[in-house]
């Protein structure tokens, strides 16, 4: 098969959570372990960091990878979902996996794939592990897909576990309380392995504390170790001063990711880097500074407060749950307090849509849309829900049509925000077939 045929086969033949939702979720690690065993257990052949969390785990993964690259380490990076190209999921020093490797891997694993029927994610994880092992990376940053305890990535024995934060998302699979969700995320904490937790709440702290104690590993709370101050976002650039509470020192950092919410992630990253330095990783100050300054360049990070146009300003952000959307709305109030806002919104159908829609301002103009995946919430249905919350707008079957209409309605000082789902951002600029897939 060609690369294009291989990707098409992966999408069509394997259950894919991002497309069909909970039906693709496998509640054990059997398939991943079977795949890895057939490949000679590649996940045991390289060092790794494991990162989970409701929000920020992708950005945190990219930041740490960027710093390690700048420090001279051959760094693997596994994240999901991708936005434009499947190969975004698997990188070494920012360079995407080769198309030939993807084709060869899928061909070589056809027999076991037919035997165990893995999900799309399970096979992709095994592919990443073999790629990192074959290429002898010094360390790989592995982001969980969903949850932690039963996530396909949770077969590794990392140098360090990182949990960014806990919020409400995927409650139909992870639990309806913050304690239940934290318990699933805490599943990545391993025996005698340190864990960095970005932020804790009254409901989540006891969960992490007890799990770390049971596993015999040190737990560090990043928000207690580091504090971000004087946080400023200008365009796609973020600056902040971070105070090390233990050392009593403060340092200014500049990032090429402009979201104000990234300041919390910086504290988590710095705490994780300190743990790695204690494990004798050579990570000089210059690598930290340049790594944070060049996250997008080094790792290809996309979809986080991406300002893609001026006059009017157009921002792409993959925020898709309550915490993420709240942060985006907060930044809009700070950065554009007097601008008229236009929202191009699309969600998947397993979110608490009423809750998410209730967060948005009634004064803005709305353009409701949908991605072309079975899991997407239909644009007209979304418009109806929004109308119940007194949000007014039209529905569009193609995000590009929605953006075009927003641009026609917007004046030069207005702001257009495209958000609600990774899959909405993925279809920006793409040619969409007029009929949505139903399977």
């Amino acid at each position: 098969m060609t690369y294009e045929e291989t990707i098409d086969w992966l999408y069509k033949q394997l259950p894919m959570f991002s497309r069909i939702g909970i039906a693709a979720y496998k509640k054990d690690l059997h398939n991943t372990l079977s795949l890895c065993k057939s490949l000679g257990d590649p996940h045991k052949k390289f060092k790794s960091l494991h990162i989970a969390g409701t929000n920020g785990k992708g950005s945190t993964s990219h930041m740490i990878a960027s710093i390690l690259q700048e420090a001279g380490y051959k760094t693997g990076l596994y994240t999901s979902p991708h936005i434009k190209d499947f190969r975004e999921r698997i990188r070494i020093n920012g360079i995407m996996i080769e198309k030939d490797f993807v084709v060869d891997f899928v061909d070589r694993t056809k027999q076991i794939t037919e035997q165990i029927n893995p999900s799309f994610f399970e096979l992709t994880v095994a592919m990443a592990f073999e790629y990192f092992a074959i290429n002898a990376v010094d360390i790989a940053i592995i982001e969980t897909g969903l949850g932690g305890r039963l996530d396909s990535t949770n077969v590794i024995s990392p140098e360090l576990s990182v949990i960014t934060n806990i919020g409400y998302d995927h409650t139909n699979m992870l639990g309806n309380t913050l304690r239940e969700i934290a318990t699933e995320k805490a599943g990545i904490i391993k025996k005698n392995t340190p864990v960095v937790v970005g932020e804790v709440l009254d409901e989540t702290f006891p969960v992490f504390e007890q799990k770390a104690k049971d596993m015999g590993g040190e737990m560090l709370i990043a928000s207690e170790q580091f504090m971000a101050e004087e946080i400023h976002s200008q365009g796609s650039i973020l600056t902040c001063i971070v105070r090390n509470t233990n050392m009593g020192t403060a340092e200014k950092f500049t990032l090429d990711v402009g979201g104000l919410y990234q300041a919390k992630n910086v504290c988590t990253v710095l705490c994780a880097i300190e743990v790695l330095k204690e494990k004798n990783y050579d990570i000089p100050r210059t690598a930290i500074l340049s790594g944070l300054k060049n996250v997008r360049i080094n790792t290809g990070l996309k979809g986080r407060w991406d300002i893609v146009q001026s006059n009017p300003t157009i921002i792409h952000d993959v925020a898709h749950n309550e915490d993420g959307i709240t942060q985006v709305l907060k930044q809009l109030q700070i950065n554009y307090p007097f601008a008229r806002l236009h929202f191009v919104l699309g969600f998947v159908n397993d979110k608490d849509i009423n809750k998410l829609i209730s967060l948005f301002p009634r004064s803005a103009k709305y353009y409701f849309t949908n991605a072309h995946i079975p899991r997407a919430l239909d644009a007209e249905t979304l418009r109806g829900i929004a109308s119940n919350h007194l949000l007014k707008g039209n529905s569009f079957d193609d995000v590009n049509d929605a953006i075009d209409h927003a641009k026609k309605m917007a004046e030069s000082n207005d702001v257009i925000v495209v958000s609600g789902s990774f899959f909405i951002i993925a279809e920006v600029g793409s040619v969409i077939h007029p009929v949505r897939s139903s399977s």
Side-chain angles (χ1 to χ4, degrees):
M1 293 188 292
T2 65
Y3 172 74
E4 289 73 20
E5 291 170 338
T6 299
I7 297 300
D8 189 58
W9 183 88
L10 286 171
Y11 290 164
K12 290 182 177 179
Q13 297 299 317
L14 303 184
M16 188 176 180
F17 175 80
S18 61
R19 292 180 60 82
I20 66 176
I22 194 170
Y25 184 52
K26 303 296 181 71
K27 296 185 177 181
D28 61 63
L29 302 175
H30 173 76
N31 283 352
T32 304
L33 290 169
S34 295
L35 284 166
C36 287
K37 183 177 180 180
S38 73
L39 298 167
D41 288 332
H43 61 296
K44 298 180 180 180
K45 298 176 181 178
F46 56 86
K47 294 180 179 180
S48 61
L49 262 68
H50 205 187
I51 302 181
T54 301
N55 287 300
K57 65 182 188 292
S59 295
T60 297
S61 297
H62 283 78
M63 288 181 194
I64 294 175
S66 181
I67 290 170
L68 290 172
Q69 286 173 222
E70 292 281 356
Y73 290 98
K74 188 175 186 180
T75 306
L77 176 62
Y78 177 78
T79 58
S80 63
H82 64 272
I83 294 180
K84 291 293 185 181
D85 188 333
F86 167 83
R87 296 182 303 138
E88 295 170 21
R89 294 169 177 256
I90 305 170
R91 299 174 183 265
I92 295 177
N93 285 356
I95 300 173
M96 295 188 293
I97 186 173
E98 294 91 347
K99 291 181 179 180
D100 288 347
F101 189 97
V102 176
V103 173
D104 177 67
F105 180 88
V106 172
D107 183 62
R108 285 188 289 108
T109 56
K110 276 283 182 68
Q111 185 174 354
I112 189 171
T113 295
E114 292 171 356
Q115 291 174 359
I116 69 174
N117 188 33
S119 69
F120 172 91
F121 190 78
E122 288 169 333
L123 190 67
T124 303
V125 165
M127 182 190 301
F129 290 167
E130 183 177 74
Y131 188 66
F132 296 151
I134 287 176
N135 285 278
V137 298
D138 295 319
I139 191 166
I141 313 305
I142 308 295
E143 178 197 10
T144 60
L146 192 156
R149 181 175 65 93
L150 299 176
D151 188 77
S152 300
T153 62
N154 201 30
V155 298
I156 58 176
S157 298
E159 300 278 281
L160 167 68
S161 299
V162 178
I163 302 172
T164 56
N165 55 39
I166 300 297
Y168 290 104
D169 201 7
H170 301 300
T171 54
N172 57 333
M173 286 168 283
L174 302 181
N176 294 308
T177 68
L178 293 176
R179 184 180 182 87
E180 289 175 330
I181 297 170
T183 298
E184 291 299 315
K185 307 285 187 184
I188 71 166
I189 300 174
K190 299 298 193 302
K191 190 173 182 179
N192 300 322
T193 301
V195 56
V196 168
V197 180
E199 299 176 278
V200 291
L201 303 168
D202 290 342
E203 302 96 319
T204 63
F205 176 78
V207 175
F208 297 134
E209 182 182 45
Q210 187 61 52
K211 183 66 174 183
K213 181 179 179 181
D214 292 344
M215 294 290 102
E218 180 186 16
M219 181 176 75
L220 299 171
I221 309 300
S223 58
E224 296 176 357
Q225 305 282 325
F226 294 90
M227 296 180 61
E229 304 169 345
E230 298 184 33
I231 307 165
H232 301 287
S233 176
Q234 183 67 40
S236 293
I237 301 297
L238 176 75
T239 60
C240 61
I241 292 175
V242 179
R243 187 173 303 281
N244 185 321
T245 59
N246 290 328
M247 302 294 293
T249 58
E251 188 162 15
K252 183 176 181 180
F253 296 94
T254 300
L255 289 80
D256 63 346
V257 285
L260 291 169
Y261 52 81
Q262 298 290 5
K264 294 180 180 180
N265 294 329
V266 171
C267 292
T268 304
V269 167
L270 293 176
C271 194
I273 293 299
E274 286 301 308
V275 174
L276 290 178
K277 289 168 70 174
E278 291 175 3
K279 286 178 167 287
N280 295 319
Y281 283 80
D282 184 12
I283 308 172
R285 174 178 170 275
T286 53
I288 298 172
L289 291 170
S290 57
L292 291 175
K293 190 175 182 178
N294 297 293
V295 178
R296 293 181 190 271
I297 294 171
N298 287 342
T299 69
L301 180 66
K302 296 185 179 72
R304 279 72 168 184
W305 199 259
D306 285 347
I307 299 178
V308 299
Q309 179 183 309
S310 300
N311 303 317
T313 299
I314 300 180
I315 301 168
H316 294 173
D317 198 290
V318 296
H320 56 278
N321 55 39
E322 183 179 349
D323 289 348
I325 289 169
T326 298
Q327 291 298 322
V328 168
L329 294 175
K330 179 180 179 181
Q331 181 155 357
L332 287 169
Q333 292 175 347
I334 294 172
N335 284 23
Y336 306 98
F338 305 112
R340 186 171 64 161
L341 301 177
H342 303 253
F343 289 96
V344 176
L345 295 180
F347 298 98
V348 291
N349 58 21
D350 51 13
K351 303 291 184 183
D352 185 349
I353 302 300
N354 277 290
K355 179 62 175 178
L356 298 181
I357 284 295
S358 70
L359 302 173
F360 288 90
R362 295 177 182 176
S363 59
K365 292 185 176 296
Y366 291 89
Y367 312 80
F368 303 106
T369 188
N370 47 244
H372 290 72
I373 58 174
R375 191 175 156 225
L377 180 67
D378 178 76
E380 185 60 23
T381 301
L382 176 58
R383 188 192 69 79
I385 296 172
S387 179
N388 292 335
H389 292 268
L390 303 182
L391 305 187
K392 297 180 180 180
N394 295 319
S395 59
F396 304 85
D397 188 53
D398 182 346
V399 64
N400 298 291
D401 288 342
I403 292 172
D404 286 344
H405 278 77
K407 289 166 71 173
K408 290 176 183 177
M409 295 295 295
E411 297 179 359
S412 61
N413 291 328
D414 291 358
V415 177
I416 300 170
V417 181
V418 185
S419 191
S421 169
F422 274 88
F423 314 107
I424 291 296
I425 302 300
E427 293 187 3
V428 174
S430 301
V431 177
I432 304 301
H433 298 295
V435 178
R436 294 178 69 210
S437 171
S438 61
S439 62

